[in-house]
Amino acid sequence: MSLGLIILAAIVLLLAVVALLVVAIIRASARTLAQRTAAIEAEVTGNAARGERLLCPPTFARIRRGRMTTRAVVALTNERVIVSGPSRTDVPLAEVMGARSQRSYNGELWSGAAFVVLASRAGEVGIAIRAADAPRWLDAIQPSLGKGGAS
């Protein structure tokens, strides 16, 4: 066997291993997102007796706070924005003072996405979701703005 064939075989083997690792990472990521979605749905269903209801179902998002970006599952209820990423964060709608939609946020722009930017006393956070979903999020958030402070 020539040296060229050995090198070619080694490259093909290396590419196959890399492809398998990428597939494993994608599957693990999809499982994590599905688990976060199920946990949010179960939690909101459990809180239904006290009046909490889902306004916008859990969806994949990228969260931009300052210069940091994380992947998460987000959902909107009549009481809060639920962000389930590497850490869990709930933003009570009573604390949201303003909301807007914009194409980019803090230098980030994603194809097919729009940022729903929430402003509170603690600062701003940009939630990148499908552009088609942004108007529904804003329509659902607007009635709660006057309850937490300035609108």
Side-chain angles (χ1 to χ4, degrees), residues 10 17-18 34 44-45 50 52-53 62 67 73 76 91 93 95-96 102 110 119 136 138-139 142 148:
V17 168
V18 168
V44 173
T45 300
R50 64 173 180 78
E52 186 172 31
R53 64 187 190 288
R62 293 192 186 276
R67 293 287 172 202
V73 173
L76 176 65
V91 180
L93 288 182
E95 294 179 12
V96 176
Q102 55 192 63
W110 286 300
R136 183 173 58 168
L138 289 177
D139 289 345
Q142 292 301 325

Side-chain angles (χ1 to χ4, degrees), residues 45-82:
T45 300
N47 291 339
R50 64 173 180 78
E52 186 172 31
R53 64 187 190 288
L54 208 53
L55 300 178
C56 295
T59 187
F60 171 76
R62 293 192 186 276
I63 309 301
R64 182 88 169 154
R65 183 173 288 151
R67 293 287 172 202
M68 283 187 49
T69 302
T70 57
R71 294 169 14 132
V73 173
V74 297
L76 176 65
T77 74
N78 59 317
E79 298 177 0
R80 60 195 166 133
V81 177
I82 302 168

Side-chain angles (χ1 to χ4, degrees), residues 22-138:
V22 167
V23 167
I25 290 169
I26 290 171
R27 285 185 179 169
S29 179
R31 267 194 308 275
T32 299
L33 293 175
Q35 290 168 346
R36 290 178 183 166
T37 297
I40 289 171
E41 289 172 341
E43 179 181 342
V44 173
T45 300
N47 291 339
R50 64 173 180 78
E52 186 172 31
R53 64 187 190 288
L54 208 53
L55 300 178
C56 295
T59 187
F60 171 76
R62 293 192 186 276
I63 309 301
R64 182 88 169 154
R65 183 173 288 151
R67 293 287 172 202
M68 283 187 49
T69 302
T70 57
R71 294 169 14 132
V73 173
V74 297
L76 176 65
T77 74
N78 59 317
E79 298 177 0
R80 60 195 166 133
V81 177
I82 302 168
V83 180
S84 180
S87 62
R88 173 66 185 266
T89 305
D90 290 350
V91 180
L93 288 182
E95 294 179 12
V96 176
M97 299 182 307
R100 66 186 186 278
S101 176
Q102 55 192 63
R103 185 81 179 97
S104 65
Y105 180 70
N106 276 359
E108 292 290 328
L109 174 70
W110 286 300
S111 177
F115 281 90
V116 172
V117 181
L118 303 177
S120 71
R121 288 177 191 87
E124 282 190 345
V125 62
I127 302 171
I129 57 176
R130 286 180 347 118
D133 293 340
R136 183 173 58 168
W137 272 69
L138 289 177

